[in-house]
Amino acid sequence: AQTVTQSQPEMSVQEAETVTLSCTYDTSENNYYLFWYKQPPSRQMILVIRQEAYKQQNATENRFSVNFQKAAKSFSLKISDSQLGDTAMYFCAFMKQGGGYQKVTFGTGTKLQVIP
Amino acid sequence: DSGVTQTPKHLITATGQRVTLRCSPRSGDLSVYWYQQSLDQGLQFLIQYYNGEERAKGNILERFSAQQFPDLHSELNLSSLELGDSALYFCASSDVALGEQYFGPGTRLTVT
């Protein structure tokens, strides 16, 4: 079974600064996807960024980028130029897929507070 | 707006009762997933349907069941409700080829 670990329950960052959220996972699979989801106080789950395991290039999406280290099974999220609207819970998720079957495992989340 | 709709938004019911939560996936998505999020907890995967067929099962209690209809909407049925079933229930849908899941706004269930 896959496990996803987010070792930082809470973090804070000053507005306009950069913060990195950690995520490690354990799997024997070779082909999989990794995601970061954001859950603001509204509780809506919002996809932030995705990474396919077969791609060596790290995914980026505006101010959000990942550092994907496949051998180390590490998938950290970097938020640059932090904004107040980035305050949220951030969940790392692992997905294995095949034949119309998807099973997603979420980490326990990191609560990020952006300080003005 | 993710394109996934869930009804109702809030539900308050008593222990022992049965409720049905409804989800309509994004247009074109064949897969629907159900998750449970208890207060200040992560998401627990319950079940996945793909084009009407059950495809994956997670930590879903026997008191819970789900189905996906020919028009691809899905329903999650929760019966013999207990206080501990109080949670936010999310539905998500995906285009299996792309992988990522898009979440609905959730149904907040309160069991009193």
Side-chain angles (χ1 to χ4, degrees), chain B residues 78-99:
Chain B
L78 315 176
S79 62
S80 302
L81 285 167
E82 302 175 359
L83 295 177
D85 297 328
S86 295
L88 192 54
Y89 290 85
F90 284 106
C91 167
S93 75
S94 77
D95 175 336
V96 173
L98 295 178

Side-chain angles (χ1 to χ4, degrees), chain B residues 50-61:
Chain B
Y50 176 78
N51 203 20
E53 292 185 6
E54 182 185 306
R55 280 300 176 98
K57 222 168 186 176
N59 302 319
I60 188 166
L61 299 173

Side-chain angles (χ1 to χ4, degrees), chain A residues 32-33 35 93-97 102-104, chain B residues 99-101:
Chain A
Y32 50 87
Y33 295 81
F35 306 95
F94 171 99
M95 185 184 79
K96 75 172 192 177
Q97 173 171 303
Q102 292 179 332
K103 185 153 183 204
V104 183
Chain B
E100 61 260 36
Q101 298 181 7

